[in-house]
Amino acid sequence: MVSLRQPRDIPQILLSVVFLALIITACLWIIQPFILGFAWAGTIVIATWPVLLRLQRLLFGRRSLAVLVMTLLLFLLFVIPVALLVNSLVDGSGPLIHDITTGSFTLPDFAWLNSIPFIGAKLYGAWHSLLDMGGTAIMAKVRPYIGATTTWFVGQAAHIGRFLLHCGLMLLFSALLYWRGEKVAYGIRYFATRLAGRRGDAAVLLAGQAIRAVALGVVVTALVQAVLGGFGLAISGVPYATLLTVVMVFTCLVQLGPLPVLIPSIIWLYWTGDTTWGTVLLVWSCVVGTMDNVIRPVLIRMGADLPMILILSGVIGGLVAFGMIGLFIGPVLLAVSWRLYDAWVHEVPPPPDNPDQVLAVLEESDDESEQAAK
């Protein structure tokens, strides 16, 4: 009996693939305005899910009350401060950009260097020698780049309407995810299992660990350090404290810490003669600058340990790609990808430490092949 195989219907397969691609593209096009807000909300919900469960137990097991409290906390402790910081960044940096772009911004005289014992006069003379040798010309060449860079950073924060829209979407999606978090998580795991079996389910769990590690160990630590540093600046009377707090958020996210902002502020206070508040800010900076060594390890243990180069690349790349929201989404995406890659690589035994062993095995197999051929 001859078994006749049905020929493959190539046009049908091709048209089916094209139709599915069109459907997926259309769906992504429709939900494109909500993707960033949903990703932001998902990151926050995954990081704060244990807090929701604890609140639910305290509120007599009522999920609705716990969701209401968590949404209010996000609005009061996250959305309002970020919106105020962005507004202050735009408003407070206007005079600085005007001075830079109009050419009225000049290098400082640093006359206070003369008050430093022993080396003050030498430092003052060296600084003015640099100015006489072309410091003004150097400033004239650098000023356009400084102005363009500053304008770009402010332009990223100037999209206040779009940013606040994403904040509103983040609150809405966070409330929905808090309300039906278990079902959403199970649906994602089910879809991943359908795609790749148990490996897909494990990938989803690893991604959750990476998200929690970034959100808790990096973002929360940066926000705590920046807010405390900004509090010290405001109490000490440093001008543009809110604007400097925004800068500290960025420096903390890129793992430089708050000291690049706090140290010049301390120098400025001593320079203006306010030695009392300069000393207070110096002591406060020592506390805030070392706080991450205590907070970050505790929070990262709740998620997964990640290379700092991923965090740095994610923060800068996310800022360029997505704007202000990219400060949070960028490191999360790279962290998830790294965790999945690391798990996939470690599914096989590691190679021998001694490369000579590998070469010896290859030579033995080549000799055996030659003997078999003879």
Side-chain angles (χ1 to χ4, degrees):
M1 180 178 180
V2 179
S3 177
L4 297 177
R5 297 180 59 186
Q6 292 290 336
R8 293 183 178 180
D9 193 345
I10 301 299
Q12 179 185 6
I13 297 175
L14 180 61
L15 291 176
S16 299
V17 172
V18 171
F19 177 76
L20 291 176
L22 290 176
I23 290 294
I24 295 173
T25 304
C27 291
L28 291 177
W29 193 8
I30 293 173
I31 66 173
Q32 181 183 2
F34 311 103
I35 291 177
L36 289 180
F38 186 81
W40 195 7
T43 300
I44 293 175
V45 169
I46 291 174
T48 58
W49 187 256
V51 180
L52 173 74
L53 297 181
R54 186 172 299 178
L55 276 176
Q56 183 176 344
R57 289 193 296 267
L58 293 176
L59 296 174
F60 314 104
R62 300 286 299 273
R63 174 61 64 88
S64 58
L65 293 178
V67 171
L68 179 61
V69 172
M70 289 298 298
T71 305
L72 290 176
L73 287 176
L74 290 179
F75 183 77
L76 295 175
L77 301 178
F78 190 79
V79 176
I80 290 181
V82 170
L84 292 177
L85 289 177
V86 172
N87 277 320
S88 298
L89 177 62
V90 176
D91 297 337
S93 57
L96 177 62
I97 296 176
H98 179 268
D99 292 341
I100 292 175
T101 53
T102 57
S104 57
F105 182 79
T106 57
L107 294 174
D109 183 69
F110 288 151
W112 57 273
L113 289 174
N114 288 315
S115 60
I116 300 177
F118 303 111
I119 63 173
K122 294 182 179 180
L123 291 176
Y124 182 77
W127 173 249
H128 277 269
S129 297
L130 179 62
L131 292 181
D132 295 337
M133 292 169 55
T136 306
I138 293 174
M139 190 61 200
K141 292 181 178 295
V142 173
R143 187 182 294 115
Y145 300 100
I146 297 177
T149 304
T150 308
T151 305
W152 183 86
F153 275 105
V154 175
Q156 296 298 315
H159 302 290
I160 300 176
R162 186 179 66 178
F163 185 71
L164 293 180
L165 174 63
H166 286 305
C167 288
L169 291 174
M170 182 270 293
L171 282 178
L172 176 62
F173 288 136
S174 296
L176 295 176
L177 290 175
Y178 281 137
W179 181 253
R180 291 287 183 249
E182 292 89 352
K183 291 185 177 180
V184 174
Y186 184 77
I188 294 175
R189 292 180 59 190
Y190 203 160
F191 177 73
T193 303
R194 179 66 179 85
L195 287 179
R198 295 180 59 184
R199 181 181 294 176
D201 189 16
V204 172
L205 298 178
L206 290 174
Q209 292 180 359
I211 292 173
R212 184 166 298 174
V214 172
L216 293 178
V218 178
V219 178
V220 173
T221 304
L223 292 177
V224 169
Q225 281 189 293
V227 169
L228 293 178
F231 176 76
L233 293 176
I235 295 297
S236 302
V238 177
Y240 303 109
T242 309
L243 178 61
L244 294 176
T245 303
V246 177
V247 178
M248 275 193 292
V249 171
F250 180 77
T251 58
C252 291
L253 284 174
V254 299
Q255 306 307 306
L256 295 177
L259 295 182
V261 176
L262 293 176
I263 291 177
S265 301
I266 296 171
I267 296 174
W268 182 84
L269 288 173
Y270 279 108
W271 174 32
T272 56
D274 198 350
T275 57
T276 301
W277 283 111
T279 305
V280 171
L281 185 59
L282 175 62
V283 176
W284 184 248
S285 300
C286 293
V287 176
V288 175
T290 58
M291 187 177 295
D292 59 332
N293 297 325
V294 178
I295 297 178
R296 185 183 294 119
V298 174
L299 295 178
I300 282 184
R301 289 193 194 101
M302 300 179 185
D305 195 8
L306 299 169
M308 282 297 109
I309 186 63
L310 282 180
I311 307 304
L312 176 62
S313 303
V315 168
I316 298 177
L319 178 65
V320 174
F322 304 113
M324 293 293 291
I325 298 179
L327 291 173
F328 308 96
I329 297 179
V332 168
L333 291 176
L334 289 186
V336 170
S337 302
W338 169 258
R339 287 290 291 168
L340 298 179
Y341 165 78
D342 185 66
W344 175 72
V345 168
H346 285 85
E347 286 182 354
V348 298
D353 295 334
N354 188 4
D356 294 335
Q357 295 179 352
V358 179
L359 297 177
V361 171
L362 289 177
E363 291 176 356
E364 292 177 0
S365 61
D366 291 339
D367 294 338
E368 292 177 357
S369 300
E370 291 177 359
Q371 293 178 359
K374 295 178 180 180

